[in-house]
Amino acid sequence: MSDLYNRIYELCQGKGISIGKMCKDLSISRGNLTELKMERIKTLKTENLTKISEYFGVSVDYLLGKEPKEKPLVNDDEELTEYLEQLRTRPELKMMFQLTKDATKEDVEKAVKVIEAMLGKD
């Protein structure tokens, strides 16, 4: 197996998903990953490498083995980095942010109360 495939596989394992799910989520052909696994191809198209790197929050250089570390923390803040990753990868959170970005503090507090009530956390 190629090193690139192994890195992608390990990232999927770390996220608790299969290669197939990642491919489906990113609209990448599963066949491309099979070809990579069997070492029939050496790498993936740049656009697919970029999609995968963004999906897992790592750099393309990390995927290619040129950089040992994952993407650094945003403002050296693990919680902020996680929030931004969730906004980037979860369409429903992205939609909610878009709807509330111009809301007042009071509007946001009301929305939080509604969500808490829906989740039974009131």
Side-chain angles (χ1 to χ4, degrees), residues 85-98:
E85 179 65 17
Q86 291 294 320
L87 277 175
R88 192 182 56 71
T89 60
R90 293 186 53 192
E92 70 279 11
L93 292 179
K94 192 178 214 176
M95 178 179 58
M96 189 166 52
F97 178 76
Q98 287 295 328

Side-chain angles (χ1 to χ4, degrees), residues 15-53:
K15 196 168 185 171
I17 62 168
S18 67
I19 292 272
K21 170 144 177 48
M22 178 208 64
C23 288
K24 183 178 177 185
D25 289 348
L26 299 176
S27 301
I28 294 174
S29 165
R30 177 68 174 99
N32 286 341
L33 275 287
T34 301
E35 294 291 311
L36 187 63
K37 179 181 181 180
M38 304 302 247
E39 297 186 330
R40 293 184 191 137
I41 59 174
K42 302 253 187 239
T43 192
L44 300 171
K45 291 180 181 178
T46 302
E47 70 184 75
N48 290 337
L49 287 170
T50 300
K51 285 181 184 180
I52 294 168
S53 73

